[in-house]
Amino acid sequence: MRFHVLTLFPEMIDQGLGLGVIGRAVKKNIISIHAVDIRSYTLEKHGKVDDAPYGGGAGMLMQAQPVFDAHRAVAEGRRVRTLYVTPQGRTFDQGFARELAGEEELILLCGHYEGIDERVLEEVVTDQVSIGDYVLTGGELAAMVIIDAVARLVPGVLGNDASAEEESFHNDLLEYPQYTRPETWHGKPVPPVLLSGDHREIAGWRLEQSVERTRRNRPDLYEKYRERQDLLRRLSGKKRENIHMMEALRRGTGRICYDEGGDTVLYLPESRICMIRSVPAGEAGSSGMARPEGREPGRDLRQEREASVLDACPEEAELFVTDSGPAADLLEGRGCRTVARCAQFLYTRREPLPLRHRDIRRLGAESLDPGSPDSGCMEHFRAFYGEEAYGRLRERVRAGAVYGAFLEGRLAGVAGSYSGGSTGLLYVEEGFRGQGIGSSLEAYCIDRTLERGWVPYVYVAEEDEVSARMQEKLGLYRAGGSFRWLGRKKHLQRAEIYGKI
Ligand code: 4GT
């Protein structure tokens, strides 16, 4: 990943990010950080970059020209996501960091004095970001905070093999307390459970501690956690049909937008997917989602309710998935098109699947280099599924979510997880088919998902008999009815949608 920082103080960036974990990642070429001196772009002969504000007022403003030219020199005509760090921006958080970690390149613009001429901001900035409600003398520290938080999510930066994907979110709870040697310090012993060697017991204790800390220190986060746990419990009445929603909640990727009378809307900001479940009229209770007493709606009420379910879907959602026919039909009336009808398969056991092919490993961003030995397989994927799906594959490889099977050292096929949470992205090179490489790849992904304590699930297009048979052979079960995927017509390309599921 490449970061460019447009600043009046490039040394501040070089020094601030040159040491420690981030400095090491730069030396290893996993990321690059390029500080650009805005002053060197001014056309003013004395190197001036600021002037007094029109309309009066204290202080000086950075002028548009040097900022614009510095930006142009970096972007070179490409459309690069450009963040202006300012107290006026959207507040930065872990979710935003995860979103940004999916970019290949970022430009951060740092202001000084009283800020920057609005006209250049209008032309180059894609996002305004704040690191919190306080004022600094310059944007550099804020830019460094953002770079640090985003860079540590790039696979390889943290040094171990764990990827950004694999980082446990702890369900958005605060961290539990940790202890290291000596066993007793200042008369205080380490909690005995941590010396027990019982991993289940330890995990239970840590969760308890996390929950209790969150309840005490962050009532806002605790309330959200409680809401999620409550919904999870209700969804578990029909586990198979609801597995996609339950996993989004468990993995910390889904936000509850609506949860009433058995109707639920979850939004996954990273994949811009909206998951909708809507209980058909007259079926309340049998769905595992008890309606409140005396609130069984009639037809009109029902339609009203469905409309409010859809109103709860965020504007920025691009994809919708639902097993409710009426909800899907309503979405079609609202500018969406059905792009796929799928069966959902899930793996309900805890035991890992055996692998026939053993040489399977995580792909790193280097597999995407045109000169890499893996590029042949990548190009065949591209020819097979098309440009958009290939773009998504690249995105998922960079996120550390894709695995490759190797035969005699050569990449023969890939599989991985979509940002929505399901397993897929499966492709095996033509010359290597019929040897069980595909099912080994899927089995490998399933095993990695199980390791993280999650339930693996897969979407299979209804017409895809071959894949359905493979799922059953692997020991996955078909869940519930038919799931419809819909996309907004305004930014819809079939291939793009397939790439995201
Ligand atoms: C605070 C933040 C930030 C500043 C923040 C323009 C002139 C902005 C000085 C700069 N203060 N930048 N990004 N809370 N100050 O993120």
PDB file of all heavy atoms in Angstrom, residues 351-373:
ATOM      1  N   GLU A 351     -15.294 -30.082  13.384  1.00  0.00           N
ATOM      2  CA  GLU A 351     -14.046 -30.752  12.992  1.00  0.00           C
ATOM      3  C   GLU A 351     -13.572 -30.201  11.654  1.00  0.00           C
ATOM      4  O   GLU A 351     -14.362 -29.996  10.745  1.00  0.00           O
ATOM      5  CB  GLU A 351     -14.226 -32.274  12.808  1.00  0.00           C
ATOM      6  CG  GLU A 351     -14.843 -33.005  13.949  1.00  0.00           C
ATOM      7  CD  GLU A 351     -16.352 -32.993  13.861  1.00  0.00           C
ATOM      8  OE1 GLU A 351     -16.896 -33.659  12.961  1.00  0.00           O
ATOM      9  OE2 GLU A 351     -16.983 -32.290  14.665  1.00  0.00           O
ATOM     10  N   PRO A 352     -12.270 -29.978  11.553  1.00  0.00           N
ATOM     11  CA  PRO A 352     -11.733 -29.537  10.275  1.00  0.00           C
ATOM     12  C   PRO A 352     -11.874 -30.620   9.210  1.00  0.00           C
ATOM     13  O   PRO A 352     -11.944 -31.810   9.528  1.00  0.00           O
ATOM     14  CB  PRO A 352     -10.262 -29.252  10.583  1.00  0.00           C
ATOM     15  CG  PRO A 352      -9.965 -29.901  11.870  1.00  0.00           C
ATOM     16  CD  PRO A 352     -11.256 -30.067  12.610  1.00  0.00           C
ATOM     17  N   LEU A 353     -11.930 -30.202   7.947  1.00  0.00           N
ATOM     18  CA  LEU A 353     -12.038 -31.141   6.833  1.00  0.00           C
ATOM     19  C   LEU A 353     -10.653 -31.630   6.433  1.00  0.00           C
ATOM     20  O   LEU A 353      -9.693 -30.863   6.464  1.00  0.00           O
ATOM     21  CB  LEU A 353     -12.695 -30.444   5.651  1.00  0.00           C
ATOM     22  CG  LEU A 353     -14.194 -30.202   5.789  1.00  0.00           C
ATOM     23  CD1 LEU A 353     -14.675 -29.202   4.753  1.00  0.00           C
ATOM     24  CD2 LEU A 353     -14.956 -31.519   5.639  1.00  0.00           C
ATOM     25  N   PRO A 354     -10.538 -32.893   6.062  1.00  0.00           N
ATOM     26  CA  PRO A 354      -9.234 -33.392   5.593  1.00  0.00           C
ATOM     27  C   PRO A 354      -8.914 -32.816   4.205  1.00  0.00           C
ATOM     28  O   PRO A 354      -9.822 -32.484   3.455  1.00  0.00           O
ATOM     29  CB  PRO A 354      -9.449 -34.902   5.516  1.00  0.00           C
ATOM     30  CG  PRO A 354     -10.918 -35.080   5.358  1.00  0.00           C
ATOM     31  CD  PRO A 354     -11.586 -33.910   6.014  1.00  0.00           C
ATOM     32  N   LEU A 355      -7.624 -32.698   3.912  1.00  0.00           N
ATOM     33  CA  LEU A 355      -7.210 -32.112   2.635  1.00  0.00           C
ATOM     34  C   LEU A 355      -6.490 -33.148   1.792  1.00  0.00           C
ATOM     35  O   LEU A 355      -5.598 -33.835   2.284  1.00  0.00           O
ATOM     36  CB  LEU A 355      -6.241 -30.954   2.870  1.00  0.00           C
ATOM     37  CG  LEU A 355      -6.749 -29.796   3.709  1.00  0.00           C
ATOM     38  CD1 LEU A 355      -5.636 -28.772   3.878  1.00  0.00           C
ATOM     39  CD2 LEU A 355      -7.952 -29.142   3.057  1.00  0.00           C
ATOM     40  N   ARG A 356      -6.890 -33.221   0.493  1.00  0.00           N
ATOM     41  CA  ARG A 356      -6.169 -34.122  -0.394  1.00  0.00           C
ATOM     42  C   ARG A 356      -4.891 -33.434  -0.868  1.00  0.00           C
ATOM     43  O   ARG A 356      -3.833 -34.023  -0.911  1.00  0.00           O
ATOM     44  CB  ARG A 356      -7.060 -34.484  -1.567  1.00  0.00           C
ATOM     45  CG  ARG A 356      -6.845 -35.922  -1.984  1.00  0.00           C
ATOM     46  CD  ARG A 356      -8.001 -36.416  -2.798  1.00  0.00           C
ATOM     47  NE  ARG A 356      -7.655 -36.380  -4.202  1.00  0.00           N
ATOM     48  CZ  ARG A 356      -8.560 -36.426  -5.184  1.00  0.00           C
ATOM     49  NH1 ARG A 356      -9.844 -36.466  -4.892  1.00  0.00           N
ATOM     50  NH2 ARG A 356      -8.176 -36.427  -6.428  1.00  0.00           N
ATOM     51  N   HIS A 357      -5.027 -32.181  -1.205  1.00  0.00           N
ATOM     52  CA  HIS A 357      -3.835 -31.422  -1.630  1.00  0.00           C
ATOM     53  C   HIS A 357      -3.324 -30.623  -0.457  1.00  0.00           C
ATOM     54  O   HIS A 357      -4.068 -29.938   0.202  1.00  0.00           O
ATOM     55  CB  HIS A 357      -4.185 -30.499  -2.793  1.00  0.00           C
ATOM     56  CG  HIS A 357      -4.454 -31.259  -4.035  1.00  0.00           C
ATOM     57  ND1 HIS A 357      -3.484 -31.618  -4.914  1.00  0.00           N
ATOM     58  CD2 HIS A 357      -5.598 -31.787  -4.485  1.00  0.00           C
ATOM     59  CE1 HIS A 357      -4.010 -32.328  -5.882  1.00  0.00           C
ATOM     60  NE2 HIS A 357      -5.301 -32.447  -5.650  1.00  0.00           N
ATOM     61  N   ARG A 358      -2.028 -30.733  -0.224  1.00  0.00           N
ATOM     62  CA  ARG A 358      -1.487 -30.149   0.997  1.00  0.00           C
ATOM     63  C   ARG A 358      -0.797 -28.814   0.768  1.00  0.00           C
ATOM     64  O   ARG A 358      -0.672 -28.016   1.680  1.00  0.00           O
ATOM     65  CB  ARG A 358      -0.507 -31.126   1.660  1.00  0.00           C
ATOM     66  CG  ARG A 358      -1.167 -32.456   1.927  1.00  0.00           C
ATOM     67  CD  ARG A 358      -0.627 -33.080   3.181  1.00  0.00           C
ATOM     68  NE  ARG A 358      -1.631 -33.994   3.717  1.00  0.00           N
ATOM     69  CZ  ARG A 358      -2.412 -33.713   4.734  1.00  0.00           C
ATOM     70  NH1 ARG A 358      -2.317 -32.551   5.342  1.00  0.00           N
ATOM     71  NH2 ARG A 358      -3.298 -34.587   5.160  1.00  0.00           N
ATOM     72  N   ASP A 359      -0.327 -28.592  -0.462  1.00  0.00           N
ATOM     73  CA  ASP A 359       0.436 -27.360  -0.684  1.00  0.00           C
ATOM     74  C   ASP A 359      -0.505 -26.195  -0.971  1.00  0.00           C
ATOM     75  O   ASP A 359      -0.637 -25.731  -2.101  1.00  0.00           O
ATOM     76  CB  ASP A 359       1.452 -27.557  -1.814  1.00  0.00           C
ATOM     77  CG  ASP A 359       2.503 -26.440  -1.819  1.00  0.00           C
ATOM     78  OD1 ASP A 359       2.446 -25.577  -0.910  1.00  0.00           O
ATOM     79  OD2 ASP A 359       3.349 -26.428  -2.722  1.00  0.00           O
ATOM     80  N   ILE A 360      -1.168 -25.751   0.096  1.00  0.00           N
ATOM     81  CA  ILE A 360      -2.079 -24.613  -0.011  1.00  0.00           C
ATOM     82  C   ILE A 360      -1.608 -23.572   0.976  1.00  0.00           C
ATOM     83  O   ILE A 360      -1.317 -23.884   2.123  1.00  0.00           O
ATOM     84  CB  ILE A 360      -3.536 -25.032   0.308  1.00  0.00           C
ATOM     85  CG1 ILE A 360      -4.007 -26.082  -0.702  1.00  0.00           C
ATOM     86  CG2 ILE A 360      -4.462 -23.814   0.290  1.00  0.00           C
ATOM     87  CD1 ILE A 360      -5.410 -26.605  -0.463  1.00  0.00           C
ATOM     88  N   ARG A 361      -1.482 -22.328   0.529  1.00  0.00           N
ATOM     89  CA  ARG A 361      -1.047 -21.267   1.448  1.00  0.00           C
ATOM     90  C   ARG A 361      -1.639 -19.913   1.057  1.00  0.00           C
ATOM     91  O   ARG A 361      -2.116 -19.734  -0.054  1.00  0.00           O
ATOM     92  CB  ARG A 361       0.476 -21.210   1.523  1.00  0.00           C
ATOM     93  CG  ARG A 361       1.162 -21.145   0.186  1.00  0.00           C
ATOM     94  CD  ARG A 361       2.684 -21.140   0.365  1.00  0.00           C
ATOM     95  NE  ARG A 361       3.324 -20.869  -0.896  1.00  0.00           N
ATOM     96  CZ  ARG A 361       3.818 -21.818  -1.709  1.00  0.00           C
ATOM     97  NH1 ARG A 361       3.743 -23.083  -1.381  1.00  0.00           N
ATOM     98  NH2 ARG A 361       4.376 -21.479  -2.856  1.00  0.00           N
ATOM     99  N   ARG A 362      -1.589 -19.010   2.036  1.00  0.00           N
ATOM    100  CA  ARG A 362      -2.128 -17.668   1.809  1.00  0.00           C
ATOM    101  C   ARG A 362      -1.337 -16.940   0.731  1.00  0.00           C
ATOM    102  O   ARG A 362      -0.111 -17.007   0.696  1.00  0.00           O
ATOM    103  CB  ARG A 362      -2.070 -16.865   3.111  1.00  0.00           C
ATOM    104  CG  ARG A 362      -2.825 -15.534   3.021  1.00  0.00           C
ATOM    105  CD  ARG A 362      -2.340 -14.509   4.028  1.00  0.00           C
ATOM    106  NE  ARG A 362      -2.402 -14.978   5.396  1.00  0.00           N
ATOM    107  CZ  ARG A 362      -3.511 -15.041   6.115  1.00  0.00           C
ATOM    108  NH1 ARG A 362      -4.651 -14.667   5.579  1.00  0.00           N
ATOM    109  NH2 ARG A 362      -3.481 -15.472   7.346  1.00  0.00           N
ATOM    110  N   LEU A 363      -2.045 -16.246  -0.155  1.00  0.00           N
ATOM    111  CA  LEU A 363      -1.361 -15.459  -1.166  1.00  0.00           C
ATOM    112  C   LEU A 363      -1.089 -14.059  -0.618  1.00  0.00           C
ATOM    113  O   LEU A 363      -1.940 -13.465   0.039  1.00  0.00           O
ATOM    114  CB  LEU A 363      -2.211 -15.354  -2.436  1.00  0.00           C
ATOM    115  CG  LEU A 363      -2.510 -16.671  -3.161  1.00  0.00           C
ATOM    116  CD1 LEU A 363      -3.333 -16.400  -4.422  1.00  0.00           C
ATOM    117  CD2 LEU A 363      -1.217 -17.404  -3.524  1.00  0.00           C
ATOM    118  N   GLY A 364       0.083 -13.533  -0.913  1.00  0.00           N
ATOM    119  CA  GLY A 364       0.423 -12.161  -0.531  1.00  0.00           C
ATOM    120  C   GLY A 364       0.268 -11.246  -1.732  1.00  0.00           C
ATOM    121  O   GLY A 364       0.067 -11.711  -2.862  1.00  0.00           O
ATOM    122  N   ALA A 365       0.371  -9.938  -1.481  1.00  0.00           N
ATOM    123  CA  ALA A 365       0.195  -8.954  -2.554  1.00  0.00           C
ATOM    124  C   ALA A 365       1.187  -9.188  -3.694  1.00  0.00           C
ATOM    125  O   ALA A 365       0.919  -8.828  -4.847  1.00  0.00           O
ATOM    126  CB  ALA A 365       0.336  -7.543  -1.990  1.00  0.00           C
ATOM    127  N   GLU A 366       2.329  -9.846  -3.396  1.00  0.00           N
ATOM    128  CA  GLU A 366       3.335 -10.064  -4.455  1.00  0.00           C
ATOM    129  C   GLU A 366       2.821 -11.002  -5.549  1.00  0.00           C
ATOM    130  O   GLU A 366       3.292 -10.956  -6.684  1.00  0.00           O
ATOM    131  CB  GLU A 366       4.670 -10.566  -3.865  1.00  0.00           C
ATOM    132  CG  GLU A 366       4.648 -11.938  -3.184  1.00  0.00           C
ATOM    133  CD  GLU A 366       4.052 -11.908  -1.784  1.00  0.00           C
ATOM    134  OE1 GLU A 366       3.715 -10.802  -1.297  1.00  0.00           O
ATOM    135  OE2 GLU A 366       3.896 -12.985  -1.183  1.00  0.00           O
ATOM    136  N   SER A 367       1.805 -11.823  -5.226  1.00  0.00           N
ATOM    137  CA  SER A 367       1.219 -12.693  -6.252  1.00  0.00           C
ATOM    138  C   SER A 367       0.540 -11.874  -7.348  1.00  0.00           C
ATOM    139  O   SER A 367       0.253 -12.390  -8.428  1.00  0.00           O
ATOM    140  CB  SER A 367       0.159 -13.609  -5.633  1.00  0.00           C
ATOM    141  OG  SER A 367       0.751 -14.512  -4.742  1.00  0.00           O
ATOM    142  N   LEU A 368       0.243 -10.592  -7.051  1.00  0.00           N
ATOM    143  CA  LEU A 368      -0.465  -9.738  -8.007  1.00  0.00           C
ATOM    144  C   LEU A 368       0.482  -9.036  -8.970  1.00  0.00           C
ATOM    145  O   LEU A 368       0.055  -8.447  -9.953  1.00  0.00           O
ATOM    146  CB  LEU A 368      -1.296  -8.700  -7.251  1.00  0.00           C
ATOM    147  CG  LEU A 368      -2.344  -9.272  -6.286  1.00  0.00           C
ATOM    148  CD1 LEU A 368      -2.960  -8.166  -5.436  1.00  0.00           C
ATOM    149  CD2 LEU A 368      -3.425 -10.022  -7.053  1.00  0.00           C
ATOM    150  N   ASP A 369       1.794  -9.090  -8.692  1.00  0.00           N
ATOM    151  CA  ASP A 369       2.763  -8.447  -9.589  1.00  0.00           C
ATOM    152  C   ASP A 369       2.717  -9.123 -10.954  1.00  0.00           C
ATOM    153  O   ASP A 369       2.686 -10.350 -11.030  1.00  0.00           O
ATOM    154  CB  ASP A 369       4.189  -8.576  -9.032  1.00  0.00           C
ATOM    155  CG  ASP A 369       4.364  -7.777  -7.750  1.00  0.00           C
ATOM    156  OD1 ASP A 369       3.525  -6.897  -7.510  1.00  0.00           O
ATOM    157  OD2 ASP A 369       5.321  -8.060  -7.001  1.00  0.00           O
ATOM    158  N   PRO A 370       2.765  -8.306 -12.019  1.00  0.00           N
ATOM    159  CA  PRO A 370       2.743  -8.889 -13.365  1.00  0.00           C
ATOM    160  C   PRO A 370       3.905  -9.858 -13.587  1.00  0.00           C
ATOM    161  O   PRO A 370       3.781 -10.829 -14.321  1.00  0.00           O
ATOM    162  CB  PRO A 370       2.868  -7.674 -14.292  1.00  0.00           C
ATOM    163  CG  PRO A 370       2.523  -6.484 -13.451  1.00  0.00           C
ATOM    164  CD  PRO A 370       2.807  -6.839 -12.031  1.00  0.00           C
ATOM    165  N   GLY A 371       5.041  -9.631 -12.919  1.00  0.00           N
ATOM    166  CA  GLY A 371       6.197 -10.494 -13.116  1.00  0.00           C
ATOM    167  C   GLY A 371       6.217 -11.730 -12.228  1.00  0.00           C
ATOM    168  O   GLY A 371       7.126 -12.554 -12.326  1.00  0.00           O
ATOM    169  N   SER A 372       5.224 -11.859 -11.346  1.00  0.00           N
ATOM    170  CA  SER A 372       5.239 -12.963 -10.387  1.00  0.00           C
ATOM    171  C   SER A 372       4.946 -14.306 -11.059  1.00  0.00           C
ATOM    172  O   SER A 372       4.221 -14.363 -12.058  1.00  0.00           O
ATOM    173  CB  SER A 372       4.203 -12.675  -9.293  1.00  0.00           C
ATOM    174  OG  SER A 372       3.392 -13.792  -9.061  1.00  0.00           O
ATOM    175  N   PRO A 373       5.489 -15.400 -10.520  1.00  0.00           N
ATOM    176  CA  PRO A 373       5.203 -16.720 -11.106  1.00  0.00           C
ATOM    177  C   PRO A 373       3.711 -17.074 -11.010  1.00  0.00           C
ATOM    178  O   PRO A 373       3.241 -17.960 -11.716  1.00  0.00           O
ATOM    179  CB  PRO A 373       6.059 -17.685 -10.267  1.00  0.00           C
ATOM    180  CG  PRO A 373       6.510 -16.919  -9.078  1.00  0.00           C
ATOM    181  CD  PRO A 373       6.450 -15.480  -9.419  1.00  0.00           C
TER     182      PRO A 373
END
